[in-house]
Amino acid sequence: MRFAALRHKLSPKPGIQGKIFIAFGLLSLFSIVTVTSIIYLNMRETIKQNAITSVADSIRQADESLNHMFEEIDRLNTVAVTNKNTVIDILLSPSEEISYEWFQEQKRINEFLSGLIDYKPYITRIAVIGLNGKVFFTGGPWIDRNFLQTKAMDYMLNHGDRHAYFKQEGSTDVISVGRVIRYNKESIGVVMVDLNYDFIRSTYGVKPTADSVLYVLDEQMELVYPSGAAPASLSPQMLSTVYAHPQLAGTAVQEAAEQKIDGKSYIVVSRRSGDTGWITRALVPLDSLLSESVKVRNLMIEVSVIVFAAVLLGALQMSSRTTLHIRRLKTMMMRVKDGNLSFPRMGMDSKDEIGELYTVFISMIDDLQRLMQDIRISEQAKREAELTALQAQIRPHFLYNTLNTIKYLAKLNDVPNIEEVSGSLIELMRGVLGNSSEFLTLREELDYMNCYVSIVKYKYMEPISVQVQVEDDDLLECRVLKLMLQPIVENAILHGVVPAAKGGLILIRVYGECGDLFIEIMDNGPGMSQETMQQLLESVKEGSASRFSGIGVRNVHERISRMYGEPYGIRLFSEEALYTKVVIRFPEIRRDEPSAKEAG
């Protein structure tokens, strides 16, 4: 018990102000986190897309610059391989080295080659190498007939029908572009132009981040150029990424993807040149690329915290102002709960639902004060009525005792008719005044009806024949409204038996049908018209009401209808000069079953 009380104090149920504050705070927090997250994620995606676009454009521009340079070199090679007077004739000349003719040929071809590469600083050397061992070149480094035995010479002879690109390694890295020299459809040598490697470095200087690396591979998947940030040794996973073969050959293809290499995320941008077939791959570390976005994210978090704190302060003020009138109204209600109805009224100028609630509450308090005043007056009147009822209790008892005395004297003096009338009147008085229940069994109701007939027959000084037919004796235990038969039988005697003078008969038939109880009261009197029957149901004339009970036929119908609803009640059937029949319909309710009123 102590633990539960302590827990209740530590975690009380939040009031309306607390609920508004918590709901507004959570909604604001959710909104700020959602907006910040969306902005940050979009910013990251934008940075990645911009990096991919920038790297791809740089690689494309580098490829286009290199291709433009290779096209220029191809034109030089074409000029050389198609020059018959200088290049082809000298290669086919039978002159030997260290001869006057050889010196003249050397001078003439060197002048020709120098003229081709003058004012072209991106070319370091141009050479003509004959398969017969003649070698002519301008520029550096030195080259001699030993070049015929190199891998580069074999590659150019095999791929130099159009142009062959080959990276030579030595004291100085160069890119060589070679073309085969043919005469009479026979290969007699090659023309080779060396491209300055510094041009490659400046062309492919693509560095979106400091630790980005770029690799250029030729068609043989040999490394042509690695960027300065490239590591000296590559892991197997990095090697498989860098040296991955292209999917299509002979076409320019560009693609970008995010890959995880050695546990680190990279953006890999690849492009294959449609002219040279070279593949350029740039690997941009995602962490370095998004380092600025991390700073922006931290700044957004700081701003979000400040905004959220400001929102919480605003929510606290708003919830306090919103619930101010509610707290005042609660204070007034607690005073009313303590029984103080004359508390000072705190005016509320609020025009919203709380102001309306205050108005209704004050109106209820005023009504409650008036009601309590009425109750005090009613209680006073009730005490006076109880005193009056106590004084009047002697009257029924006195009447019963008097009637019993008359009945006893009639029996002593052998006057049976007075004894019968007084006995019947006692039973009627006991049923009306002594039984406070609204319901009786049908058997009791028939007994009261017989008492009434025993009394009224002396009024007309002639016998009244009343026959009762009961289909099933169990129906006599059904519950019916008290004193419902007496007004009907009274009307049958008054309007049916008495006018008939002699031979008047009242037949009462009791039967059940479809779960309902039916009671028919029929007389063989002069009958009545439809207008008379309608008037009998709508209103009872003053002379038609029972002087004993004051309850008419219409009242009986209304009592049954109000208690059980439609179609229960009274229906009239009559033909003039023949008969009048009254049918009373009740639900068949046994003694031990609750009535409709009791069930409600």
Side-chain angles (χ1 to χ4, degrees):
M1 294 296 291
R2 293 181 179 179
F3 177 74
L6 180 60
R7 185 178 60 180
H8 178 74
K9 290 182 179 180
L10 293 178
S11 58
K13 294 182 179 178
I16 295 179
Q17 179 181 356
K19 291 179 180 178
I20 294 176
F21 176 75
I22 294 174
F24 197 82
L26 292 177
L27 180 61
S28 302
L29 180 61
F30 174 76
S31 302
I32 292 173
V33 171
T34 302
V35 172
T36 304
S37 301
I38 291 174
I39 293 175
Y40 175 67
L41 293 176
N42 287 338
M43 182 182 63
R44 283 173 57 94
E45 193 64 28
T46 302
I47 291 175
K48 289 193 291 186
Q49 293 300 325
N50 290 343
I52 292 173
T53 303
S54 175
V55 173
D57 289 344
S58 299
I59 293 175
R60 178 182 55 78
Q61 292 173 5
D63 282 347
E64 291 176 354
S65 298
L66 188 63
N67 292 337
H68 179 72
M69 199 63 58
F70 282 158
E71 290 174 0
E72 182 69 21
I73 294 174
D74 286 340
R75 286 194 291 270
L76 297 178
N77 286 339
T78 302
V79 171
V81 299
T82 57
N83 190 298
K84 183 176 183 305
N85 294 330
T86 302
V87 178
I88 297 177
D89 289 346
I90 291 175
L91 286 179
L92 296 177
S93 171
S95 60
E96 297 180 357
E97 291 187 7
I98 318 300
S99 64
Y100 176 77
E101 290 80 6
W102 181 82
F103 277 112
Q104 292 295 324
E105 291 173 352
Q106 182 85 14
K107 179 180 179 182
R108 185 155 54 111
I109 198 170
N110 285 343
E111 290 177 351
F112 172 74
L113 295 177
S114 297
L116 291 178
I117 66 172
D118 282 345
Y119 307 109
K120 295 179 176 60
Y122 52 87
I123 296 177
T124 60
R125 180 180 64 184
I126 183 169
V128 176
I129 301 106
L131 296 180
N132 56 8
K134 290 184 176 182
V135 177
F136 307 96
F137 68 94
T138 298
W142 179 268
I143 186 172
D144 55 21
R145 66 179 59 191
N146 291 327
F147 186 78
L148 293 172
Q149 309 303 322
T150 62
K151 182 179 178 182
M153 187 65 183
D154 293 337
Y155 179 78
M156 290 180 184
L157 288 173
N158 293 326
H159 299 84
D161 289 337
R162 176 62 183 160
H163 48 73
Y165 307 103
F166 189 84
K167 179 178 181 296
Q168 298 188 54
E169 297 181 357
S171 58
T172 303
D173 291 337
V174 294
I175 302 297
S176 299
V177 182
R179 185 161 180 185
V180 176
I181 304 173
R182 296 184 185 276
Y183 183 73
N184 291 333
K185 298 182 180 180
E186 294 291 335
S187 298
I188 61 175
V190 296
V191 176
M192 184 178 69
V193 178
D194 292 340
L195 181 63
N196 193 337
Y197 201 70
D198 291 335
F199 177 79
I200 300 292
R201 291 190 182 94
S202 61
T203 301
Y204 286 98
V206 179
K207 290 182 70 64
T209 63
D211 52 354
S212 299
V213 292
L214 184 137
Y215 298 92
V216 181
L217 308 172
D218 59 16
E219 287 186 300
Q220 289 72 44
M221 301 305 293
E222 295 292 338
L223 184 62
V224 174
Y225 168 76
S227 64
S233 60
L234 301 178
S235 65
Q237 194 173 2
M238 183 69 78
L239 282 173
S240 65
T241 302
V242 173
Y243 289 93
H245 287 274
Q247 296 179 356
L248 297 175
T251 59
V253 177
Q254 179 174 298
E255 60 182 12
E258 185 176 337
Q259 291 182 262
K260 207 168 189 65
I261 305 172
D262 298 331
K264 189 176 181 180
S265 296
Y266 289 86
I267 293 178
V268 181
V269 181
S270 302
R271 177 181 173 84
R272 183 177 58 245
S273 174
D275 295 326
T276 63
W278 289 7
I279 298 173
T280 306
R281 282 198 175 91
L283 282 72
V284 183
L286 201 57
D287 293 340
S288 300
L289 182 65
L290 299 177
S291 59
E292 292 298 325
S293 69
V294 173
K295 296 179 181 178
V296 175
R297 180 198 63 189
N298 295 336
L299 178 61
M300 292 176 64
I301 292 175
E302 294 174 0
V303 173
S304 299
V305 170
I306 295 173
V307 171
F308 183 62
V311 169
L312 288 182
L313 291 176
L316 183 61
Q317 290 294 325
M318 186 192 71
S319 61
S320 178
R321 289 180 177 273
T322 302
T323 58
L324 175 61
H325 293 315
I326 297 179
R327 293 195 299 271
R328 290 180 178 176
L329 192 59
K330 176 186 175 182
T331 301
M332 289 186 285
M333 288 182 175
M334 295 304 294
R335 291 180 178 178
V336 173
K337 177 184 176 182
D338 296 335
N340 183 9
L341 299 181
S342 59
F343 56 87
R345 310 293 174 88
M346 293 179 288
M348 295 186 185
D349 55 355
S350 178
K351 303 300 182 182
D352 53 11
E353 290 82 355
I354 298 176
E356 295 176 359
L357 184 62
Y358 169 76
T359 303
V360 173
F361 175 71
I362 293 301
S363 177
M364 290 175 57
I365 295 302
D366 294 338
D367 292 342
L368 182 61
Q369 288 178 328
R370 287 192 295 270
L371 181 61
M372 292 183 66
Q373 182 64 26
D374 293 341
I375 291 175
R376 283 193 290 270
I377 297 174
S378 176
E379 288 295 327
Q380 180 66 27
K382 181 180 178 181
R383 286 194 293 270
E384 295 176 356
E386 289 175 351
L387 181 59
T388 303
L390 184 61
Q391 295 173 350
Q393 276 185 351
I394 193 173
R395 296 173 185 174
H397 297 286
F398 179 75
L399 184 58
Y400 290 152
N401 294 335
T402 303
L403 289 175
N404 279 320
T405 302
I406 294 173
K407 179 181 178 182
Y408 178 71
L409 292 174
K411 185 176 181 181
L412 290 178
N413 292 285
D414 195 18
V415 186
N417 52 356
I418 296 177
E419 181 182 0
E420 180 183 2
V421 170
S422 59
S424 298
L425 182 58
I426 289 172
E427 293 300 321
L428 274 178
M429 293 292 291
R430 182 175 290 111
V432 174
L433 300 178
N435 189 351
S436 60
S437 175
E438 190 176 0
F439 298 93
L440 300 173
T441 63
L442 180 57
R443 185 188 306 276
E444 293 171 336
E445 182 68 11
L446 288 174
D447 291 340
Y448 290 145
M449 183 272 299
N450 288 327
C451 292
Y452 170 75
V453 173
S454 298
I455 295 173
V456 79
K457 68 181 180 180
Y458 289 101
K459 175 181 178 181
Y460 300 104
M461 300 304 294
E462 60 183 30
I464 297 176
S465 178
V466 178
Q467 297 182 10
V468 179
Q469 298 178 358
V470 181
E471 183 182 77
D472 185 357
D473 289 343
D474 290 340
L475 297 176
L476 296 176
E477 302 303 322
C478 290
R479 303 181 66 184
V480 296
L481 291 176
K482 183 171 64 175
L483 297 178
M484 65 163 186
L485 288 180
Q486 182 270 331
I488 309 301
V489 173
E490 181 180 1
N491 276 279
I493 294 172
L494 181 63
H495 301 288
V497 176
V498 173
K502 292 184 179 180
L505 174 65
I506 296 176
L507 176 62
I508 299 176
R509 180 168 170 256
V510 179
Y511 62 94
E513 183 177 302
C514 298
D516 290 337
L517 174 66
F518 290 88
I519 305 173
E520 292 182 359
I521 301 98
M522 184 173 67
D523 63 77
N524 60 351
M528 66 182 73
S529 64
Q530 293 294 329
E531 292 78 3
T532 305
M533 286 191 296
Q534 187 67 25
Q535 291 177 1
L536 187 60
L537 286 175
E538 292 180 355
S539 61
V540 181
K541 295 182 179 179
E542 183 178 355
S544 301
S546 169
R547 291 188 180 90
F548 176 75
S549 63
I551 301 175
V553 176
R554 179 178 60 86
N555 292 343
V556 174
H557 175 73
E558 289 180 353
R559 287 175 63 200
I560 298 174
S561 297
R562 281 196 301 268
M563 180 66 67
Y564 304 107
E566 296 293 338
Y568 301 105
I570 290 177
R571 296 184 63 187
L572 298 179
F573 303 91
S574 181
E575 291 188 19
E576 292 184 325
L578 291 177
Y579 72 92
T580 298
K581 181 169 67 173
V582 178
V583 180
I584 304 175
R585 184 177 181 181
F586 267 98
E588 187 176 323
I589 302 174
R590 301 294 178 177
R591 179 192 292 257
D592 55 348
E593 295 178 2
S595 66
K597 186 173 182 179
E598 293 169 341

